[in-house]
mmCIF file of all heavy atoms in Angstrom:
data_model
loop_
_atom_site.group_PDB
_atom_site.id
_atom_site.type_symbol
_atom_site.label_atom_id
_atom_site.label_comp_id
_atom_site.label_asym_id
_atom_site.label_seq_id
_atom_site.Cartn_x
_atom_site.Cartn_y
_atom_site.Cartn_z
ATOM 1 N N GLY A 28 -87.155 149.576 289.545
ATOM 2 C CA GLY A 28 -87.004 148.184 289.954
ATOM 3 C C GLY A 28 -85.876 147.494 289.211
ATOM 4 O O GLY A 28 -84.800 148.063 288.993
ATOM 5 N N CYS A 29 -86.101 146.258 288.804
ATOM 6 C CA CYS A 29 -85.086 145.455 288.118
ATOM 7 C C CYS A 29 -84.927 145.922 286.676
ATOM 8 O O CYS A 29 -85.894 145.980 285.917
ATOM 9 C CB CYS A 29 -85.481 143.982 288.139
ATOM 10 S SG CYS A 29 -84.326 142.914 287.230
ATOM 11 N N ALA A 30 -83.689 146.251 286.282
ATOM 12 C CA ALA A 30 -83.435 146.755 284.932
ATOM 13 C C ALA A 30 -83.623 145.679 283.872
ATOM 14 O O ALA A 30 -83.796 145.986 282.688
ATOM 15 C CB ALA A 30 -82.021 147.318 284.854
ATOM 16 N N PHE A 31 -83.627 144.392 284.275
ATOM 17 C CA PHE A 31 -83.738 143.287 283.317
ATOM 18 C C PHE A 31 -85.186 142.870 283.073
ATOM 19 O O PHE A 31 -85.452 142.030 282.231
ATOM 20 C CB PHE A 31 -82.925 142.089 283.829
ATOM 21 C CG PHE A 31 -82.812 140.952 282.846
ATOM 22 C CD1 PHE A 31 -82.177 141.126 281.627
ATOM 23 C CD2 PHE A 31 -83.339 139.703 283.145
ATOM 24 C CE1 PHE A 31 -82.068 140.076 280.713
ATOM 25 C CE2 PHE A 31 -83.230 138.651 282.249
ATOM 26 C CZ PHE A 31 -82.594 138.836 281.026
ATOM 27 N N GLN A 32 -86.137 143.475 283.773
ATOM 28 C CA GLN A 32 -87.520 142.986 283.766
ATOM 29 C C GLN A 32 -88.146 142.904 282.379
ATOM 30 O O GLN A 32 -88.902 141.968 282.087
ATOM 31 C CB GLN A 32 -88.390 143.872 284.659
ATOM 32 C CG GLN A 32 -88.430 145.332 284.246
ATOM 33 C CD GLN A 32 -89.242 146.193 285.195
ATOM 34 O OE1 GLN A 32 -90.451 146.246 285.084
ATOM 35 N NE2 GLN A 32 -88.563 146.853 286.123
ATOM 36 N N GLU A 33 -87.832 143.851 281.481
ATOM 37 C CA GLU A 33 -88.470 143.850 280.171
ATOM 38 C C GLU A 33 -87.944 142.749 279.259
ATOM 39 O O GLU A 33 -88.558 142.434 278.243
ATOM 40 C CB GLU A 33 -88.282 145.217 279.509
ATOM 41 C CG GLU A 33 -89.007 146.341 280.253
ATOM 42 C CD GLU A 33 -88.742 147.703 279.652
ATOM 43 O OE1 GLU A 33 -88.018 147.766 278.627
ATOM 44 O OE2 GLU A 33 -89.241 148.701 280.201
ATOM 45 N N ARG A 34 -86.828 142.142 279.620
ATOM 46 C CA ARG A 34 -86.260 141.054 278.815
ATOM 47 C C ARG A 34 -86.430 139.696 279.503
ATOM 48 O O ARG A 34 -86.002 138.678 278.950
ATOM 49 C CB ARG A 34 -84.770 141.316 278.579
ATOM 50 C CG ARG A 34 -84.469 142.663 277.967
ATOM 51 C CD ARG A 34 -82.971 142.910 277.844
ATOM 52 N NE ARG A 34 -82.360 142.080 276.828
ATOM 53 C CZ ARG A 34 -81.050 142.003 276.623
ATOM 54 N NH1 ARG A 34 -80.219 142.701 277.388
ATOM 55 N NH2 ARG A 34 -80.562 141.234 275.683
ATOM 56 N N CYS A 35 -87.029 139.698 280.671
ATOM 57 C CA CYS A 35 -87.089 138.480 281.487
ATOM 58 C C CYS A 35 -88.452 137.793 281.343
ATOM 59 O O CYS A 35 -89.496 138.414 281.555
ATOM 60 C CB CYS A 35 -86.837 138.837 282.950
ATOM 61 S SG CYS A 35 -86.877 137.415 284.066
ATOM 62 N N ARG A 36 -88.445 136.502 281.023
ATOM 63 C CA ARG A 36 -89.708 135.774 280.846
ATOM 64 C C ARG A 36 -90.369 135.446 282.178
ATOM 65 O O ARG A 36 -91.503 134.980 282.210
ATOM 66 C CB ARG A 36 -89.479 134.498 280.035
ATOM 67 C CG ARG A 36 -88.532 133.488 280.657
ATOM 68 C CD ARG A 36 -88.140 132.421 279.631
ATOM 69 N NE ARG A 36 -87.179 131.472 280.155
ATOM 70 C CZ ARG A 36 -87.490 130.258 280.594
ATOM 71 N NH1 ARG A 36 -88.754 129.864 280.596
ATOM 72 N NH2 ARG A 36 -86.550 129.449 281.043
ATOM 73 N N PHE A 37 -89.678 135.684 283.296
ATOM 74 C CA PHE A 37 -90.251 135.381 284.606
ATOM 75 C C PHE A 37 -90.717 136.636 285.344
ATOM 76 O O PHE A 37 -91.160 136.545 286.489
ATOM 77 C CB PHE A 37 -89.231 134.652 285.486
ATOM 78 C CG PHE A 37 -88.674 133.403 284.875
ATOM 79 C CD1 PHE A 37 -87.318 133.309 284.564
ATOM 80 C CD2 PHE A 37 -89.495 132.323 284.601
ATOM 81 C CE1 PHE A 37 -86.800 132.157 283.999
ATOM 82 C CE2 PHE A 37 -88.983 131.162 284.032
ATOM 83 C CZ PHE A 37 -87.634 131.086 283.724
ATOM 84 N N SER A 38 -90.606 137.812 284.730
ATOM 85 C CA SER A 38 -90.909 139.047 285.447
ATOM 86 C C SER A 38 -92.397 139.168 285.761
ATOM 87 O O SER A 38 -93.258 138.657 285.036
ATOM 88 C CB SER A 38 -90.457 140.260 284.633
ATOM 89 O OG SER A 38 -91.184 140.371 283.432
ATOM 90 N N ASP A 39 -92.686 139.830 286.865
ATOM 91 C CA ASP A 39 -94.071 140.130 287.251
ATOM 92 C C ASP A 39 -94.083 141.496 287.935
ATOM 93 O O ASP A 39 -93.086 142.222 287.912
ATOM 94 C CB ASP A 39 -94.650 139.030 288.148
ATOM 95 C CG ASP A 39 -93.821 138.812 289.414
ATOM 96 O OD1 ASP A 39 -93.082 139.745 289.807
ATOM 97 O OD2 ASP A 39 -93.903 137.723 290.012
ATOM 98 N N ARG A 40 -95.197 141.861 288.541
ATOM 99 C CA ARG A 40 -95.338 143.197 289.127
ATOM 100 C C ARG A 40 -94.327 143.455 290.245
ATOM 101 O O ARG A 40 -93.930 144.590 290.497
ATOM 102 C CB ARG A 40 -96.763 143.379 289.657
ATOM 103 C CG ARG A 40 -97.831 143.410 288.563
ATOM 104 C CD ARG A 40 -99.199 143.728 289.155
ATOM 105 N NE ARG A 40 -99.216 145.043 289.778
ATOM 106 C CZ ARG A 40 -99.404 146.177 289.123
ATOM 107 N NH1 ARG A 40 -99.565 146.178 287.806
ATOM 108 N NH2 ARG A 40 -99.426 147.331 289.774
ATOM 109 N N LYS A 41 -93.889 142.390 290.915
ATOM 110 C CA LYS A 41 -92.920 142.546 291.997
ATOM 111 C C LYS A 41 -91.614 143.145 291.471
ATOM 112 O O LYS A 41 -90.896 143.850 292.193
ATOM 113 C CB LYS A 41 -92.654 141.184 292.643
ATOM 114 C CG LYS A 41 -91.918 141.255 293.969
ATOM 115 C CD LYS A 41 -92.782 141.843 295.059
ATOM 116 C CE LYS A 41 -92.100 141.765 296.413
ATOM 117 N NZ LYS A 41 -92.857 142.493 297.455
ATOM 118 N N CYS A 42 -91.307 142.885 290.197
ATOM 119 C CA CYS A 42 -90.040 143.329 289.616
ATOM 120 C C CYS A 42 -89.993 144.839 289.399
ATOM 121 O O CYS A 42 -88.947 145.382 289.023
ATOM 122 C CB CYS A 42 -89.785 142.593 288.302
ATOM 123 S SG CYS A 42 -89.672 140.799 288.503
ATOM 124 N N LEU A 43 -91.126 145.534 289.627
ATOM 125 C CA LEU A 43 -91.136 146.994 289.553
ATOM 126 C C LEU A 43 -90.463 147.619 290.774
ATOM 127 O O LEU A 43 -90.194 148.818 290.795
ATOM 128 C CB LEU A 43 -92.572 147.507 289.429
ATOM 129 C CG LEU A 43 -93.300 147.134 288.124
ATOM 130 C CD1 LEU A 43 -94.759 147.528 288.210
ATOM 131 C CD2 LEU A 43 -92.614 147.795 286.930
ATOM 132 N N GLU A 44 -90.178 146.801 291.785
ATOM 133 C CA GLU A 44 -89.457 147.245 292.968
ATOM 134 C C GLU A 44 -88.007 146.753 292.890
ATOM 135 O O GLU A 44 -87.715 145.734 292.256
ATOM 136 C CB GLU A 44 -90.114 146.682 294.237
ATOM 137 C CG GLU A 44 -91.584 147.036 294.391
ATOM 138 C CD GLU A 44 -92.215 146.300 295.560
ATOM 139 O OE1 GLU A 44 -91.493 146.018 296.541
ATOM 140 O OE2 GLU A 44 -93.412 145.985 295.473
ATOM 141 N N ASP A 45 -87.098 147.481 293.539
ATOM 142 C CA ASP A 45 -85.699 147.058 293.541
ATOM 143 C C ASP A 45 -85.564 145.691 294.195
ATOM 144 O O ASP A 45 -86.014 145.501 295.338
ATOM 145 C CB ASP A 45 -84.833 148.067 294.299
ATOM 146 C CG ASP A 45 -84.597 149.331 293.494
ATOM 147 O OD1 ASP A 45 -84.569 149.238 292.250
ATOM 148 O OD2 ASP A 45 -84.453 150.409 294.094
ATOM 149 N N PRO A 46 -84.954 144.724 293.514
ATOM 150 C CA PRO A 46 -84.819 143.385 294.094
ATOM 151 C C PRO A 46 -83.796 143.360 295.220
ATOM 152 O O PRO A 46 -82.813 144.111 295.200
ATOM 153 C CB PRO A 46 -84.361 142.526 292.911
ATOM 154 C CG PRO A 46 -83.703 143.490 291.982
ATOM 155 C CD PRO A 46 -84.411 144.797 292.145
ATOM 156 N N PRO A 47 -83.974 142.493 296.201
ATOM 157 C CA PRO A 47 -83.009 142.378 297.305
ATOM 158 C C PRO A 47 -81.895 141.397 296.954
ATOM 159 O O PRO A 47 -81.990 140.638 295.982
ATOM 160 C CB PRO A 47 -83.883 141.800 298.430
ATOM 161 C CG PRO A 47 -84.852 140.914 297.690
ATOM 162 C CD PRO A 47 -85.142 141.597 296.376
ATOM 163 N N TRP A 48 -80.840 141.423 297.754
ATOM 164 C CA TRP A 48 -79.814 140.381 297.634
ATOM 165 C C TRP A 48 -80.315 139.123 298.337
ATOM 166 O O TRP A 48 -80.790 139.194 299.467
ATOM 167 C CB TRP A 48 -78.507 140.829 298.271
ATOM 168 C CG TRP A 48 -77.648 141.683 297.387
ATOM 169 C CD1 TRP A 48 -77.394 143.011 297.530
ATOM 170 C CD2 TRP A 48 -76.927 141.257 296.232
ATOM 171 N NE1 TRP A 48 -76.562 143.448 296.527
ATOM 172 C CE2 TRP A 48 -76.252 142.399 295.720
ATOM 173 C CE3 TRP A 48 -76.799 140.040 295.571
ATOM 174 C CZ2 TRP A 48 -75.453 142.352 294.579
ATOM 175 C CZ3 TRP A 48 -76.004 139.987 294.433
ATOM 176 C CH2 TRP A 48 -75.336 141.120 293.947
ATOM 177 N N ILE A 49 -80.228 137.991 297.667
ATOM 178 C CA ILE A 49 -80.628 136.702 298.237
ATOM 179 C C ILE A 49 -79.417 135.776 298.215
ATOM 180 O O ILE A 49 -78.714 135.681 297.202
ATOM 181 C CB ILE A 49 -81.788 136.065 297.438
ATOM 182 C CG1 ILE A 49 -83.041 136.945 297.532
ATOM 183 C CG2 ILE A 49 -82.088 134.649 297.926
ATOM 184 C CD1 ILE A 49 -84.190 136.473 296.647
ATOM 185 N N GLU A 50 -79.156 135.112 299.330
ATOM 186 C CA GLU A 50 -78.047 134.153 299.381
ATOM 187 C C GLU A 50 -78.558 132.777 298.970
ATOM 188 O O GLU A 50 -79.399 132.181 299.644
ATOM 189 C CB GLU A 50 -77.443 134.099 300.782
ATOM 190 C CG GLU A 50 -76.207 133.202 300.837
ATOM 191 C CD GLU A 50 -75.462 133.295 302.149
ATOM 192 O OE1 GLU A 50 -76.074 133.746 303.146
ATOM 193 O OE2 GLU A 50 -74.287 132.914 302.203
ATOM 194 N N ILE A 51 -78.071 132.289 297.844
ATOM 195 C CA ILE A 51 -78.466 130.967 297.344
ATOM 196 C C ILE A 51 -77.742 129.880 298.129
ATOM 197 O O ILE A 51 -78.342 128.939 298.646
ATOM 198 C CB ILE A 51 -78.147 130.828 295.841
ATOM 199 C CG1 ILE A 51 -78.834 131.937 295.041
ATOM 200 C CG2 ILE A 51 -78.556 129.453 295.325
ATOM 201 C CD1 ILE A 51 -80.341 131.918 295.091
ATOM 202 N N ARG A 52 -76.448 129.991 298.194
ATOM 203 C CA ARG A 52 -75.586 129.155 299.019
ATOM 204 C C ARG A 52 -74.434 130.025 299.482
ATOM 205 O O ARG A 52 -74.292 131.150 299.006
ATOM 206 C CB ARG A 52 -75.070 127.939 298.214
ATOM 207 C CG ARG A 52 -76.048 126.782 298.155
ATOM 208 C CD ARG A 52 -75.556 125.688 297.230
ATOM 209 N NE ARG A 52 -75.681 126.077 295.831
ATOM 210 C CZ ARG A 52 -76.814 125.993 295.152
ATOM 211 N NH1 ARG A 52 -77.909 125.549 295.726
ATOM 212 N NH2 ARG A 52 -76.864 126.360 293.888
ATOM 213 N N GLN A 53 -73.603 129.521 300.353
ATOM 214 C CA GLN A 53 -72.491 130.320 300.857
ATOM 215 C C GLN A 53 -71.614 130.799 299.704
ATOM 216 O O GLN A 53 -71.130 129.999 298.901
ATOM 217 C CB GLN A 53 -71.651 129.518 301.851
ATOM 218 C CG GLN A 53 -70.550 130.348 302.500
ATOM 219 C CD GLN A 53 -69.799 129.571 303.566
ATOM 220 O OE1 GLN A 53 -69.977 128.375 303.714
ATOM 221 N NE2 GLN A 53 -68.949 130.263 304.298
#
């Protein structure tokens, strides 16, 4: 999953899967 998960204060079980690309704004 996400390589940053162990250092991230917001990580949860979902982060064990590869995260998708999300468009915040153009």
Side-chain angles (χ1 to χ4, degrees):
C29 177
F31 188 63
Q32 59 183 277
E33 294 176 2
R34 306 176 71 187
C35 180
R36 61 193 177 101
F37 304 116
S38 65
D39 58 22
R40 293 186 62 83
K41 193 70 173 173
C42 299
L43 294 172
E44 303 172 31
D45 285 330
W48 277 110
I49 296 174
E50 185 171 20
I51 303 297
R52 277 174 286 279
Q53 185 175 9

